Amino acid sequence: REVHDDLHQPERSGGLCGVSWAPLSGVAEVPPGRGAGPIHGGRRQLEIFYRTAPFDESQLAEDGGEFESESFLDLFLFAKRLEGCSDRSIFYYEATTKKLLESFDTPACDLETEEIRSYLSNYQQKAGVTHVTVDNVRRIISSFYSWLEDEDHIIKSPVKRINRVKAPQLIRKRMATKREILCDNCGLPRNLALIDLLRFTGMRVGELVSLGRNSIDTISRECIVHGKGNKNRIVYFDAKTKVHIENYLPTRMGSSEALFVSSKAPHERL
């Protein structure tokens, strides 16, 4: 386009490469300090190149959108991996964002707020998910478009105008009775230690099954938990949980490094 503009100006000083083109002369006069002698036929060669260049702009516009969206998604995932996100989080980011992009023929940078808001509404109705799940999807999409904005691929994120999805705050009932029912029907010392450790520490199920034998200390009644964001933290448990864990350890079978293993051979991590 810059070449096209320079070629169709009758006379332009400081044009392409700082060269002054004389109209219809076929000669480019080089300013002082840029070499001696005229460049014969320079304008004519540029005209021929411009007219015969093998570019199909309609084809570029047609095929560029899909490639552009996939490339941006790959770069976004690279950035998240560099930030220290776990493989599970990377997979969730990729699946959620790709599902959005595949729902539209529009390139990622051209999606508007109304389209994304409509996508979230339809997703909630068709999948029958809760407000919390929809807000998690919105948060991931917002992270993708915030990255596009920070990298100057778009001017402003279209998700900024989509507010956080509010979830109803439910009053949960006390678990004392449920806990007693569970403990009475555990059967195995492993299950009793597992339930008490979950109840007292509040750790996630994924964090519980990732515990190792060396990550728990029954003397100080603490254990090291590897949580979200590849972060470790120390949690504590009460004396009753300590007794249940000590009763479980002698009955534990297998050579796995996991703390809680299956009751059947080959006794691997739960």
Coordinates of all heavy atoms in Angstrom, one line a residue, residues 6-7 9-32 34-47:
D6 N 3.1 5.8 -3.1 CA 4.3 6.5 -3.7 C 4.2 6.6 -5.2 O 4.6 7.6 -5.8 CB 5.6 5.9 -3.2 CG 5.9 6.2 -1.8 OD1 5.5 7.3 -1.4 OD2 6.5 5.4 -1.1
L7 N 3.7 5.5 -5.8 CA 3.7 5.4 -7.3 C 2.7 6.4 -7.9 O 2.8 6.8 -9.0 CB 3.5 4.0 -7.7 CG 4.6 3.0 -7.4 CD1 4.2 1.6 -7.9 CD2 5.9 3.4 -8.0
Q9 N 1.7 9.3 -6.6 CA 1.9 10.7 -6.3 C 2.6 11.3 -7.5 O 3.6 10.8 -8.0 CB 2.6 10.9 -5.0 CG 1.9 10.4 -3.8 CD 0.7 11.4 -3.5 OE1 0.7 12.5 -3.9 NE2 -0.3 10.9 -2.8
P10 N 2.2 12.5 -8.0 CA 2.9 13.1 -9.1 C 4.3 13.5 -8.7 O 5.3 13.3 -9.6 CB 2.1 14.4 -9.4 CG 1.3 14.6 -8.2 CD 1.1 13.3 -7.6
E11 N 4.6 13.9 -7.5 CA 5.9 14.2 -7.1 C 5.9 14.2 -5.6 O 5.1 14.8 -4.9 CB 6.4 15.5 -7.6 CG 7.9 15.8 -7.2 CD 8.4 17.0 -7.9 OE1 7.6 17.7 -8.6 OE2 9.6 17.3 -7.7
R12 N 6.8 13.4 -5.0 CA 6.8 13.3 -3.5 C 8.2 13.2 -3.1 O 9.0 12.5 -3.5 CB 6.1 12.0 -3.1 CG 5.9 11.8 -1.6 CD 5.1 10.6 -1.3 NE 5.0 10.4 0.1 CZ 4.2 9.5 0.7 NH1 3.6 8.7 -0.1 NH2 4.2 9.3 2.0
S13 N 8.5 14.1 -2.2 CA 9.9 14.2 -1.6 C 9.9 13.4 -0.3 O 9.0 13.5 0.5 CB 10.2 15.7 -1.3 OG 11.5 15.7 -0.8
G14 N 11.0 12.6 -0.2 CA 11.1 11.8 1.0 C 10.2 10.7 1.0 O 9.7 10.3 2.1
G15 N 9.9 10.1 -0.1 CA 8.9 9.0 -0.2 C 9.6 7.7 0.2 O 10.3 7.6 1.2
L16 N 9.4 6.7 -0.7 CA 10.0 5.3 -0.4 C 11.5 5.4 -0.3 O 12.2 5.8 -1.2 CB 9.5 4.4 -1.5 CG 9.8 2.9 -1.3 CD1 9.1 2.4 -0.1 CD2 9.5 2.1 -2.6
C17 N 12.0 5.0 0.8 CA 13.5 4.9 1.1 C 14.1 6.3 1.0 O 15.3 6.5 0.7 CB 14.2 4.0 0.1 SG 13.6 2.3 0.2
G18 N 13.3 7.4 1.2 CA 13.8 8.7 1.1 C 14.2 9.2 -0.3 O 15.0 10.1 -0.4
V19 N 13.6 8.6 -1.3 CA 13.9 8.9 -2.7 C 12.9 9.8 -3.3 O 11.7 9.7 -3.0 CB 14.0 7.6 -3.6 CG1 14.3 8.0 -5.0 CG2 15.1 6.7 -3.0
S20 N 13.3 10.8 -4.0 CA 12.4 11.8 -4.7 C 12.1 11.3 -6.1 O 13.0 11.1 -6.9 CB 13.0 13.2 -4.8 OG 13.2 13.7 -3.4
W21 N 10.8 11.0 -6.4 CA 10.5 10.5 -7.7 C 10.0 11.6 -8.6 O 9.1 12.4 -8.3 CB 9.3 9.4 -7.6 CG 9.8 8.2 -6.8 CD1 9.6 8.0 -5.5 CD2 10.4 7.1 -7.3 NE1 10.1 6.8 -5.1 CE2 10.6 6.2 -6.2 CE3 10.9 6.7 -8.5 CZ2 11.3 5.0 -6.3 CZ3 11.5 5.4 -8.7 CH2 11.7 4.6 -7.6
A22 N 10.6 11.6 -9.8 CA 10.2 12.6 -10.8 C 9.1 12.0 -11.7 O 9.1 10.8 -12.1 CB 11.3 12.9 -11.8
P23 N 8.0 12.7 -11.9 CA 6.8 12.1 -12.6 C 7.2 11.7 -14.0 O 7.8 12.4 -14.8 CB 5.8 13.3 -12.6 CG 6.6 14.5 -12.5 CD 7.8 14.1 -11.6
L24 N 6.8 10.4 -14.4 CA 7.0 9.8 -15.7 C 8.4 9.8 -16.2 O 8.6 9.7 -17.4 CB 6.0 10.5 -16.7 CG 4.5 10.5 -16.3 CD1 3.7 11.3 -17.3 CD2 4.0 9.1 -16.2
S25 N 9.3 10.0 -15.4 CA 10.7 10.1 -15.9 C 11.4 8.8 -15.9 O 12.4 8.5 -16.6 CB 11.5 11.1 -15.2 OG 11.6 10.7 -13.8
G26 N 10.9 7.9 -15.0 CA 11.5 6.6 -14.8 C 12.9 6.7 -14.1 O 13.7 5.8 -14.2
V27 N 13.2 7.8 -13.6 CA 14.5 8.0 -12.9 C 14.2 8.5 -11.5 O 13.4 9.4 -11.3 CB 15.3 9.1 -13.7 CG1 16.6 9.3 -12.9 CG2 15.6 8.6 -15.1
A28 N 14.9 7.9 -10.6 CA 14.8 8.3 -9.2 C 16.0 9.1 -8.8 O 17.1 8.6 -9.0 CB 14.6 7.1 -8.2
E29 N 15.9 10.3 -8.3 CA 17.0 11.1 -7.9 C 17.3 10.9 -6.4 O 16.4 11.0 -5.6 CB 16.7 12.6 -8.1 CG 16.5 12.9 -9.6 CD 16.2 14.4 -9.8 OE1 16.1 15.1 -8.7 OE2 16.0 14.8 -10.9
V30 N 18.5 10.5 -6.1 CA 18.9 10.1 -4.8 C 19.4 11.4 -4.1 O 20.2 12.1 -4.6 CB 20.0 9.1 -4.8 CG1 20.4 8.7 -3.4 CG2 19.5 7.8 -5.6
P31 N 18.9 11.7 -2.9 CA 19.3 12.9 -2.1 C 20.8 12.7 -1.8 O 21.4 11.6 -1.8 CB 18.5 12.9 -0.9 CG 17.3 12.0 -1.2 CD 17.8 11.0 -2.2
P32 N 21.4 13.9 -1.5 CA 22.8 13.8 -1.1 C 23.0 12.9 0.2 O 22.2 12.9 1.1 CB 23.2 15.3 -0.7 CG 22.1 16.1 -1.4 CD 20.9 15.2 -1.5
R34 N 23.1 9.6 0.0 CA 22.6 8.3 -0.2 C 23.2 7.6 -1.4 O 22.6 6.7 -2.0 CB 21.1 8.4 -0.4 CG 20.3 8.7 0.9 CD 18.8 8.7 0.6 NE 18.1 9.0 1.9 CZ 17.7 8.1 2.7 NH1 18.0 6.8 2.5 NH2 17.0 8.4 3.8
G35 N 24.3 8.1 -1.9 CA 25.0 7.4 -3.0 C 24.9 8.3 -4.2 O 24.1 9.3 -4.3
A36 N 25.8 8.1 -5.2 CA 25.9 8.9 -6.4 C 25.2 8.3 -7.5 O 25.1 7.1 -7.6 CB 27.3 9.2 -6.7
G37 N 24.6 9.1 -8.4 CA 24.1 8.6 -9.7 C 22.6 8.3 -9.5 O 22.1 7.9 -8.5
P38 N 21.8 8.5 -10.6 CA 20.4 8.2 -10.6 C 20.2 6.7 -10.7 O 21.0 5.9 -11.2 CB 19.9 8.9 -11.9 CG 21.1 8.9 -12.8 CD 22.3 9.0 -11.9
I39 N 19.0 6.3 -10.2 CA 18.5 4.9 -10.3 C 17.6 4.8 -11.5 O 16.4 5.2 -11.4 CB 17.8 4.4 -9.0 CG1 18.8 4.7 -7.9 CG2 17.4 3.0 -9.1 CD1 18.1 4.3 -6.5
H40 N 18.1 4.3 -12.7 CA 17.3 4.3 -13.9 C 16.3 3.2 -13.8 O 16.6 2.0 -13.4 CB 18.2 4.1 -15.1 CG 19.1 5.3 -15.3 ND1 18.7 6.5 -15.9 CD2 20.4 5.5 -14.9 CE1 19.8 7.3 -16.0 NE2 20.8 6.7 -15.4
G41 N 15.1 3.4 -14.2 CA 14.0 2.4 -14.3 C 13.5 1.9 -13.0 O 12.8 0.9 -12.9
G42 N 13.8 2.6 -11.9 CA 13.4 2.1 -10.6 C 11.9 2.2 -10.4 O 11.3 1.2 -10.0
R43 N 11.3 3.3 -10.9 CA 9.8 3.4 -10.7 C 9.1 2.4 -11.6 O 8.1 1.8 -11.2 CB 9.4 4.8 -11.1 CG 7.9 5.0 -11.0 CD 7.6 6.4 -11.3 NE 6.1 6.6 -11.2 CZ 5.5 7.8 -11.4 NH1 6.2 8.9 -11.7 NH2 4.2 7.9 -11.3
R44 N 9.6 2.2 -12.8 CA 9.0 1.2 -13.7 C 9.0 -0.2 -13.2 O 8.1 -0.9 -13.2 CB 9.7 1.3 -15.1 CG 9.0 0.5 -16.2 CD 7.7 1.1 -16.4 NE 7.0 0.4 -17.5 CZ 5.7 0.6 -17.8 NH1 5.0 1.5 -17.1 NH2 5.1 0.0 -18.8
Q45 N 10.1 -0.6 -12.5 CA 10.2 -1.9 -12.0 C 9.3 -2.1 -10.8 O 8.7 -3.1 -10.6 CB 11.7 -2.2 -11.5 CG 12.7 -2.2 -12.7 CD 14.1 -2.4 -12.2 OE1 14.3 -2.4 -11.0 NE2 15.0 -2.5 -13.1
L46 N 9.1 -1.0 -10.0 CA 8.2 -1.1 -8.9 C 6.7 -1.2 -9.4 O 5.9 -1.9 -8.8 CB 8.3 0.1 -8.0 CG 9.6 0.1 -7.1 CD1 9.7 1.4 -6.3 CD2 9.6 -1.1 -6.1
E47 N 6.4 -0.5 -10.5 CA 5.1 -0.6 -11.1 C 4.8 -2.0 -11.6 O 3.7 -2.6 -11.3 CB 4.9 0.4 -12.2 CG 4.8 1.8 -11.7 CD 4.7 2.8 -12.9 OE1 5.0 2.4 -14.0 OE2 4.4 4.0 -12.7

